[in-house]
Amino acid sequence: MALPRLVLGVESSCDEMAAAVVRDGTDVLASRVRSQLELHRPYGGVVPELASRDHVRSVSQVVRAALEEAGVGERDLDAVAVTMGPGLLGSLLVGLSFAKALAYRLGIPVVGVHHLAGHLAAAELAAPGLTRPYVGLVVSGGHTALYRVEDLASPKLLGETADDAVGEAFDKVAKLLGLPYPGGPALAKLAEAGREDAFALPRPRQHEPGYDFSYSGLKTAVARLVRAHEPLADATRADIAASFQAAATDVLVAKARRAVADEGLARLVVVGGVAANRRLRERVAAAAERDGFSATFPPPALCTDNAAMVAAAGARSLAAGERHDLDLTAFSRLPLDPGPA
Ligand code: KG4
Ligand code: ZN
């Protein structure tokens, strides 16, 4: 079935309210993201109750702004795609309720999208010629996982983190180094001034068979290092940032590379907020060149949470005949690969 022409995407799984209009599953006509950084900064992390209340206030404005930017009237829309999980339940319900009401009013289909299927679809938006199957490395604040992707809605899980997600580790280490929330991008910036071989940090599970990850031990090793060097000189902070970033990303590159070879595939896609990390992008590109596979990253704005990826994933599942009715609900936990039935 052909991809639906105009899909509105709505994403509100965490602390961003996002809306986008995507044409034919490939052209991003508009993508608006309203961040709540200022709201949560004083608390050093996302406060769920504040997040959902702010979403209630902003959802209609953000959707309206996306439609205006796209030059599209709501009557022109063919479908609404919305993130149904995983994420913060209160936040998810705001986007979901809005999307269902809009679809009902317009008499068009609504389709629920898994947040990680959305992240994967961002790579397909960025590289329209990309064909499945491929290995998908999903690296975000909540997830670190490798999938074999034949079908966006039901990829096969190869391995995932046993504890912290890699983005979470970036955020926690940034906090240890006294950087403001959210720490990932700030830590990456600080690392540019440091030497990545200054401190030998563990690369957890890098040489273990399988594709599972673990980031809590690395975070603890950094905490010990910070304590041993307090008060931290600026150069030491930068060296710790660079050494941590190298350890955290080396493991991702090693496992992704092995997965591509073991699965006998020629393509890797790297998605999620941490896919915006420059060192990770460089190292993956170098490994791809050496091993002879192609590596695709969405542009940074499509790596972090956005609604264009949700519209793109929704367009694909609608084309595959998937529909949801108004009973569609949100799930705080929702595996992308539910495993053997
Ligand atoms: O995908 P995302 O926007 O939200 C989730 O679904 O979690 O990912 C956010 C995560 C945060 O942990 C953030 O610190 C991290 O991605 N991040 C980065 C960079 N940009 C965002 N981590 C390392 N380097 C970056 N440049
Ligand atoms: Zn995300």
Side-chain angles (χ1 to χ4, degrees):
M1 203 203 273
L3 288 162
R5 194 142 177 80
L6 283 178
V7 177
L8 173 73
V10 178
E11 150 69 43
S12 66
S13 62
C14 190
D15 60 339
E16 266 116 11
M17 173 54 74
V21 181
V22 171
R23 185 169 57 204
D24 300 331
T26 47
D27 299 332
V28 182
L29 301 188
S31 178
R32 308 286 291 214
V33 180
R34 183 182 188 278
S35 156
Q36 296 179 345
L37 277 189
E38 299 311 321
L39 185 64
H40 300 291
R41 183 166 285 140
Y43 306 95
V46 177
V47 183
E49 182 67 17
L50 293 181
S52 53
R53 285 171 188 235
D54 192 69
H55 286 333
V56 170
R57 282 190 289 268
S58 70
V59 59
S60 51
Q61 293 160 33
V62 176
V63 169
R64 198 177 316 128
L67 290 171
E68 266 169 30
E69 188 186 323
V72 160
E74 55 181 31
R75 296 272 160 204
D76 299 328
L77 293 172
D78 295 299
V80 183
V82 59
T83 307
M84 60 179 173
L88 301 173
L89 201 57
S91 289
L92 286 163
L93 283 170
V94 176
L96 193 93
S97 307
F98 186 93
K100 287 199 296 188
L102 181 64
Y104 179 69
R105 181 160 62 78
L106 297 174
I108 57 178
V110 61
V111 63
V113 170
H114 191 290
H115 184 72
L116 300 187
H119 274 301
L120 288 166
E124 301 192 13
L125 264 183
L130 178 70
T131 51
R132 291 177 232 131
Y134 50 73
V135 169
L137 172 63
V138 181
V139 280
S140 71
H143 296 87
T144 307
L146 272 165
Y147 294 93
R148 178 189 173 96
V149 186
E150 310 243 359
D151 173 353
L152 261 191
S154 56
K156 179 177 154 220
L157 181 69
L158 301 174
E160 63 186 335
T161 183
D163 40 58
D164 292 353
V166 60
E168 190 181 352
F170 266 87
D171 294 338
K172 287 179 175 170
V173 166
K175 207 168 188 175
L176 288 171
L177 295 176
L179 296 168
Y181 163 85
L187 186 140
K189 184 147 195 340
L190 177 62
E192 283 172 22
R195 295 165 303 153
E196 63 177 50
D197 56 357
F199 299 103
L201 287 168
R203 268 94 175 132
R205 303 198 182 191
Q206 181 160 314
H207 300 293
E208 269 179 35
Y211 307 104
D212 286 339
F213 302 90
S214 166
Y215 278 100
S216 70
L218 176 57
K219 175 200 64 196
T220 308
V222 175
R224 230 178 284 126
L225 197 58
V226 168
R227 266 200 305 277
H229 289 82
E230 260 164 356
L232 293 180
D234 284 349
T236 312
R237 281 173 78 235
D239 284 348
I240 294 176
S243 302
F244 161 77
Q245 177 177 255
T249 51
D250 277 354
V251 181
L252 298 173
V253 178
K255 297 251 176 190
R257 195 173 176 183
R258 187 144 50 75
V260 171
D262 292 352
E263 292 295 314
L265 296 177
R267 287 174 287 275
L268 171 69
V269 314
V270 187
V271 300
V274 182
N277 184 270
R278 208 156 76 203
R279 185 185 191 273
L280 177 63
R281 295 169 89 98
E282 286 168 5
R283 293 299 166 114
V284 167
E289 170 107 36
R290 233 174 305 139
D291 294 1
F293 61 84
S294 77
T296 303
F297 296 88
L302 291 179
C303 285
T304 45
D305 288 347
N306 65 88
M309 69 185 199
V310 174
R316 283 156 181 74
S317 39
L318 284 160
E322 209 172 302
R323 295 282 184 286
H324 288 114
D325 56 29
L326 296 177
D327 293 341
L328 176 66
T329 189
F331 302 90
S332 57
R333 292 167 159 274
L334 185 65
L336 182 54
D337 173 3

